Amino acid sequence: MHAAEYFARMHTTSWNVEKARALVDAERSRVRSFLSGDGADQSAMLPALHALQKTFGFIHADAISVVAHALNVSKAEVKGVVSFYKDFRTQPPGAHVVALCRAEACQARGSEALAAHLQQTHGLQPGQTKHGVTLENTYCLGNCALGPAALVDESRLVGRLDVAKADQLVGSLKERES
Amino acid sequence: MKLFVPADAAAQSVGADEVAEALQSALKARGLDVPLIRTGSRGLTWLEPLVEVNTASGRQGFANVSALEVPGLLDAIVGGEPHPSAIGLVESLPALARQRRLTFSRVGVIDPLSLEDFRAHGGLRGWARAMELAPEAIVQEVTTSLLRGRGGAGFPAGIKWKTVAEAKGARKYIVCNADEGDSGTFADRMVMEGDPFMLLEGMRIAARAVGASHGFIYVRSEYPRAVSVLERAIAVLRESRFLGTGFDVEVRVGAGAYVCGEETSLLESLEGKRGQVRAKPPLPAHEGLFGKPTVVNNVLTLAAVPWILEHGGAAYAALGVGRSRGTMPIQLAGNVKHGGLFELPLGVTLRELIFDFGGGTASARPVRAVQVGGPLGAYFPEKLLDTPLDYEAMAKAGGILGHAGVVVFDDTVNLAKQARFAFEFCALESCGKCTPCRIGSTRGVEVLDQVAAGVEPEKNLALVKDLCTVLTDASLCALGGLTPLPVLSALEHFHEDFTRRSR
């Protein structure tokens, strides 16, 4: 696998409050024009947080008040949402993120042994970053007949993983770390 | 000549994009002007990447194609030579020919984003019929079809629509639940990636039936491909003025919370809140999104509607068994040789599915356990494999049909570990609103760990059963309420795994 072709680095933009405001405002406007009424502002919460994370790689602590202000909700409300959904990170991830499926269908095809291998051979542990690669657990990627499966950089699904393919994948991601 | 290569995420996960790219460059190198069409997947995942070429007799398939063998394959196709990857006419393969594909008739066949292709294969005929009918008559057609919610709960769709149609509200919503979180399921994803116009047609029909002006499709973030296809499909339909003229749809992306597949939690999430479940009543049909009457239906439920309108509710109800009518896109997954999606009339047995369609386990070891209906579904032992896949038979056998995901395990599985995982998953995904689920799930993990450590196993297993009673009776939603199914079925059918310390 050639990471250079497939995998975009997770985040390229460093935190910038003006840019964050613009992103959140854009989501708010979009949702307002779609809903025109009916709690439109607060409804833009998930789209706004996704836009922030996509740009900056994580939800910066200062983003909380940006979102709260734009959507006219309390900071507690925003923090509550960020902490509820496991997609939202409050720390920057590595240059690449590998989300390994740990749900039943992939378990039946050997995902647990694969997770153990990633830890033993590459020192990769769920929720941690090593050599620029963040490993995360995920529960079902919808590739249940071709498992074990992983989602790389939130965009590319890989299936029929085994030790050799996993080594190749991790190797290619590590190489891209500069 | 035309070539077809799936752009479904599962096919992409095993190299379909590389195959398509290699084909493009090989065509170019040979100066051949042959269109290459990216389709959804036929759902025969063990054949992926599956390349097809149209011929006078139908579409010929080439299975498990790799990018490296593309030049040779193209020479064989152009020269009409035999090729080792050739599998003959795709639609004559028993795995496809034995299906009854109503919802999936176009998936894997057409370009999902070509409106022309969609129409040429029967798209929008359901909508055309719906336009001729009064809204009440549309609801009646869905009621006659006996279609039940395909998300898992199995509630009759016609009754839900009627409730929303009769409810008073300044505005009404159609919410498509595409938060397909159950392990072993991928039918929603395949519809969204392979035939998104059908889903949007179903939503438009639902909107006309109940008088809704706005729709949302709530897709889990684990499905980036589906999100991108849907967004492009919506743009195409807005351009053609099928959407945006009295009814419009927006795609919303979830954020990794399994519980948001529960309808009230999903509505909270759409409103921009933590995905905590609401106590019912009020039902979403009366007070749903932003307190307005809302239809919340699964992808497969809405996707079945265009066929029902085109062919009539009675034609749909003519298929199936007992009170489980119509077809079910069954997803066969886990340790199985030939996994994938098989749309069949409700009532096929697990044994037929796993052995006739699936060819047994991928590891060639004996089947020991089968989990049906996702992480909240029961584990069935070999002796229950003759149970038919229908709502009632599954319930009678102590399980659920759910979203019709079937996950096969061979004899290396340890059911005590699977039971522990069920509690662990519940603890991880609990929204925290009700105590049985929030606390009980963690307590379940602790007690099963005691059992595994050999600490008063019988006493602790009695405690597990007691805990399961509390979860079943006192949880607010199906997450806490059904977690006991995998746990108790594992205990009942695989008791030896809980007592043998060495396992």
Side-chain angles (χ1 to χ4, degrees), chain A residues 1 5-6 27 30-47 49-50 71 73 76-88 99 101-110 112 137-161 165, chain B residues 9-14 17-18 21 45-49 64 171 173 181-186 189 214-216 218 220-224 238 248-250 252-260 269-276 290 292 332-336 339-340 362 371 374-375 379 407-409 418 421 425 428-429 431:
Chain A
M1 257 170 257
E5 284 169 41
Y6 293 157
E27 290 305 316
R30 203 179 48 73
V31 174
R32 271 184 187 171
S33 74
F34 178 75
L35 274 174
S36 57
D38 267 359
D41 286 8
Q42 188 169 357
S43 174
M45 180 82 79
L46 263 65
L49 291 171
H50 275 306
L71 305 188
V73 293
E77 201 88 43
V78 181
K79 274 206 159 181
V81 171
V82 170
S83 63
F84 183 86
Y85 296 95
K86 67 172 177 286
D87 277 7
F88 299 127
C101 179
R102 305 293 296 272
E104 292 91 336
C106 281
Q107 290 171 11
R109 298 179 75 96
E112 295 313 286
N137 285 337
T138 191
Y139 296 90
C140 198
L141 296 165
N143 201 22
C144 318
L146 292 173
L151 187 67
V152 182
D153 292 343
E154 298 173 355
S155 56
R156 190 165 179 100
L157 189 61
V158 289
R160 286 188 191 134
L161 276 174
K165 258 179 110 171
Chain B
Q12 290 177 321
S13 83
V14 291
D17 284 354
E18 292 81 338
E21 273 168 42
T45 55
W46 68 98
L47 301 176
E48 297 290 2
N64 301 123
R171 183 186 267 185
Y173 291 97
D182 288 353
S183 174
T185 67
F186 42 85
R189 181 183 62 67
H214 291 69
F216 282 99
Y218 187 93
R220 59 205 299 264
S221 61
E222 291 84 349
Y223 285 180
R238 280 179 184 159
D248 204 3
V249 175
E250 182 176 305
R252 276 296 173 85
V253 181
Y258 174 77
V259 76
C260 287
S269 187
L270 280 176
E271 290 181 7
K273 300 170 187 162
R274 292 160 69 91
Q276 289 196 303
F290 306 113
K292 304 287 179 359
L332 182 58
N335 191 338
V336 65
Q371 189 179 27
Y379 285 98
V407 176
V408 180
F409 293 81
Q418 298 308 120
F421 177 76
F425 184 73
L428 201 64
E429 299 295 344
C431 81

Side-chain angles (χ1 to χ4, degrees), chain A residues 88-106:
Chain A
F88 299 127
R89 298 183 196 94
T90 50
Q91 295 294 323
H96 297 286
V97 175
V98 176
L100 180 69
C101 179
R102 305 293 296 272
E104 292 91 336
C106 281

Side-chain angles (χ1 to χ4, degrees), chain B residues 6 56 71 85 133 168 234 256 260 263-264 322 334 403 483:
Chain B
S85 303
L133 298 176
K168 298 261 177 289
I234 289 170
C260 287
E263 60 178 3
T264 62
H403 191 49
T483 290

